[in-house]
């Protein structure tokens, strides 16, 4: 029979709330699993995992799964564009912005990057992006490609010069599916200003589905689960702008903390990947690992008697090290 003291100790352990660091770590792990399952079309399995996380108190509902969830006075997938003064400002300049976008025939050739790394939410098709601002930093080459658009955006310092998120052009080709996923925080509200639309391009945020209307804005909380699919015939092009969520409780403090957290983002990345230095060399990137990672790799190769290991187009190529008295 279990001693009474052990039962009381177990009860106290069960009632103890989880530390914020543990909550964040568990949320990240759960969200990665849920997104992978949904991205593979395993909807029932994905939502079964989400419901388990909700039952454990990690999130309030299955379709709202940010890593950082701050208190708000109201929370819903789509927000009222009238609460964001700059939506009408953008809509007044649609003709100018549309003309600059129409002058671009091939986004990749014009300097857009193409999203879709392994493990991303892009499943099929092509999604091109042109970053104009990122957390207050202006990208001159990109803004030079769309000078009139950049001038219009410069009049919105809350999302450009003082922004905590990014401003970019999102160019979605027909046949693209961006699988269900949740943004990492509810600190920001995301605006989509439709420059060029297609009636068969759709977005779902939470349990609500809508399309884009050319020359119009809508705003949503991207910490809700959202997905995009484009079954139309012409590219869908929108301007994406991140602004602070106006419904945050103690919003100024939360935004300041978010800015401080983002300032440490590269440090966190470098530490997690055990990198010493990253350098861009033309079109290539040179990476120097920290000594601890170099020693781990050296030991791995040595104990397995390997000269080199290379992953090329999904094929692993292994070269054994030469052995005394013969070739490996």
């Amino acid at each position: 029979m279990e001693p009474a003291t052990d039962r009381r100790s177990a009860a106290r352990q069960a009632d103890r709330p989880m530390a914020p660091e543990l909550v964040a770590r568990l949320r990240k792990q759960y969200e990665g699993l849920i997104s992978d399952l949904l991205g593979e079309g395993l909807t029932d399995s994905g939502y079964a995992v989400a419901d388990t996380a909700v039952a454990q108190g990690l999130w309030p509902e299955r379709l709202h799964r940010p890593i950082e969830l701050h208190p708000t006075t109201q929370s819903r997938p789509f927000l009222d564009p009238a609460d964001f003064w700059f939506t009408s400002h953008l809509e007044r300049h649609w003709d100018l912005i549309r003309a600059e976008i129409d002058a671009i025939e091939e986004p990749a050739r014009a300097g857009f990057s193409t999203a879709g790394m392994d493990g991303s939410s892009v499943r099929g098709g092509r999604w091109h992006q042109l970053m104009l601002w990122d957390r207050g930093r202006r990208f001159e080459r990109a803004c030079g490609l769309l000078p009139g658009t950049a001038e219009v955006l410069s009049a919105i310092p809350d999302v450009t010069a003082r922004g905590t998120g990014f401003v970019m052009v999102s160019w979605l080709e027909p046949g693209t599916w961006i699988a269900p996923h949740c943004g990492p925080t509810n600190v920001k509200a995301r605006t989509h200003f439709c420059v060029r639309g297609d009636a068969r391009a759709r977005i779902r945020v939470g349990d609500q589905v809508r399309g884009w209307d050319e020359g119009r804005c809508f705003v949503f909380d991207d910490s809700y689960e959202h997905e995009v699919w484009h079954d139309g015939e012409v590219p869908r092009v929108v301007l994406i702008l991140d602004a602070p969520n106006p419904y945050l409780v103690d919003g100024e403090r939360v935004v300041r903390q978010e800015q401080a957290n983002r300032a440490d983002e590269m440090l966190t990345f470098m530490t997690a990947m055990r990198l010493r230095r990253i350098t861009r060399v033309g079109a290539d990137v040179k990476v120097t690992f920290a000594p601890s990672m170099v020693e781990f790799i050296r030991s791995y190769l040595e104990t397995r008697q390997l000269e080199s290991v290379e992953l090329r187009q999904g094929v692993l190529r292994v070269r054994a090290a030469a052995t005394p008295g013969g070739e490996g």
Side-chain angles (χ1 to χ4, degrees), residues 11 20 33 35 46 60 70 75 87-88 103 131 140 148 167 179 190 194 198 206 208 232 268 284 287 291 298 313 316:
L33 176 58
S35 296
H70 300 278
S75 181
T87 56
S88 59
M131 191 69 68
E140 294 298 340
V167 181
R190 177 154 291 175
C194 182
D198 187 302
Q208 301 178 37
T268 301
D284 297 324
V287 177
R298 185 200 62 75
Q313 296 179 339
L316 189 66

Side-chain angles (χ1 to χ4, degrees), residues 1 28 33 36-37 51 131 140 156 166 176 182 298:
M1 188 174 192
K28 185 176 295 186
L33 176 58
D36 283 345
L37 290 169
D51 290 341
M131 191 69 68
E140 294 298 340
I156 318 173
F166 55 73
T176 304
C182 295
R298 185 200 62 75

Side-chain angles (χ1 to χ4, degrees), residues 181-326:
H181 64 287
C182 295
T185 177
N186 67 335
V187 166
K188 63 181 181 293
R190 177 154 291 175
T191 296
H192 276 201
F193 173 51
C194 182
V195 182
R196 182 194 297 163
D198 187 302
R200 297 182 64 194
R202 311 287 285 172
I203 183 172
R204 175 181 63 83
V205 183
D207 59 359
Q208 301 178 37
V209 178
R210 64 175 60 181
W212 290 267
D213 297 322
E214 290 187 347
R216 302 298 301 273
C217 293
F218 63 67
V219 186
F220 65 99
D221 180 346
D222 88 325
S223 66
Y224 279 85
E225 182 181 286
H226 53 287
E227 69 174 314
V228 175
W229 59 95
H230 189 350
D231 299 324
E233 298 178 351
V234 298
R236 182 239 59 183
V237 183
V238 301
L239 273 178
I240 297 180
L241 303 85
D242 287 336
N245 185 339
Y247 311 127
L248 288 169
V249 175
D250 197 8
E252 291 186 5
R253 181 192 64 79
V254 172
V255 169
R256 285 197 303 271
Q257 184 60 51
E258 175 78 1
Q259 291 171 328
N261 292 344
R262 295 308 180 199
D264 293 335
E265 186 177 69
M266 184 56 71
L267 174 62
T268 301
F269 171 77
M270 297 277 288
T271 302
M273 301 299 291
R274 288 195 268 182
L275 299 175
R276 171 64 64 83
R277 181 181 176 86
I278 305 174
T279 308
R280 188 174 64 182
V281 182
D284 297 324
V285 175
K286 180 180 179 181
V287 177
T288 303
F289 286 104
S292 60
M293 178 58 81
V294 173
E295 176 59 24
F296 171 79
I297 295 171
R298 185 200 62 75
S299 177
Y300 182 93
L301 295 174
E302 186 176 273
T303 56
R304 289 159 179 80
Q305 295 185 329
L306 299 176
E307 182 69 26
S308 65
V309 180
E310 180 182 5
L311 184 62
R312 183 186 301 174
Q313 296 179 339
V315 178
L316 189 66
R317 303 173 186 272
V318 179
R319 181 182 176 187
T323 58

